[in-house]
Amino acid sequence: MTDVDYGRTIRVDLAYDEAVTRVKEVFQEQGFGVLTEIDVRATLKEKLDEETEPYVILGFCNPQLAHRALGVEPEIGLLLPCNVVVRRHAEQTLVHAQDAGVMVRIAGRPELEPIAEEAAQRIGRAMDSLPGTSRPR
């Protein structure tokens, strides 16, 4: 697995449930709150009766950054919140964070660059503070 052009992936040395809790904590330390939490595993079990590995999508928002971005481009809400995925795969706990620069590339508005850069720095600090972080094997 490698990073994709719209996000960053790390492996953490935590059990899945502990990783979900810790991800919420480190993002909160960077000024983000959880707006949405989607338990993909539970949804697929309920709707399709399919068993999958644990997988949650956390929709994070930093209100100050969101307000600034919406002031530049009201439709940018289509690209908010910043999604972070925590999942189990091949006996590893993985954390995937959306690249904040995606909103600039899609919107094509250079005025969003400083906002996306600040968000990227905060996301990077959150990801870097997770215990035992490394690139997945």
Side-chain angles (χ1 to χ4, degrees), residues 96-109:
H96 310 278
Q98 178 179 328
D99 174 4
V102 167
M103 72 176 177
V104 176
R105 291 192 297 274
I106 291 174
R109 298 285 302 265

Side-chain angles (χ1 to χ4, degrees), residues 12-132:
V12 294
D13 295 330
L14 295 170
Y16 172 79
D17 290 332
E18 188 179 358
V20 171
T21 298
R22 190 68 186 124
V23 165
K24 290 177 185 178
E25 292 169 353
V26 299
F27 273 81
Q28 184 175 13
E29 291 167 6
Q30 293 300 320
F32 293 90
V34 177
L35 292 180
T36 60
E37 183 169 340
I38 302 166
D39 185 336
V40 174
R41 179 184 198 181
T43 300
L44 294 177
K45 178 65 177 167
E46 177 187 335
K47 303 292 183 184
L48 303 175
D49 197 29
E50 291 289 335
E51 293 289 340
T52 61
E53 292 180 316
Y55 190 117
V56 66
I57 303 170
L58 302 169
F60 284 104
C61 179
N62 177 297
Q64 291 81 17
L65 296 176
H67 183 259
R68 288 171 48 201
L70 290 164
V72 171
E73 179 71 49
E75 293 81 9
I76 205 72
L78 292 168
L79 302 175
L80 301 176
C82 174
N83 287 320
V84 176
V85 169
V86 181
R87 69 186 183 104
R88 286 292 293 171
H89 176 70
E91 299 181 28
Q92 298 180 61
T93 302
L94 303 175
V95 179
H96 310 278
Q98 178 179 328
D99 174 4
V102 167
M103 72 176 177
V104 176
R105 291 192 297 274
I106 291 174
R109 298 285 302 265
E111 308 95 315
L112 292 169
E113 288 178 14
I115 302 164
E117 180 58 34
E118 183 176 343
Q121 289 173 1
R122 290 172 181 253
I123 291 165
R125 286 192 298 266
M127 295 285 279
D128 291 343
S129 70
L130 289 166

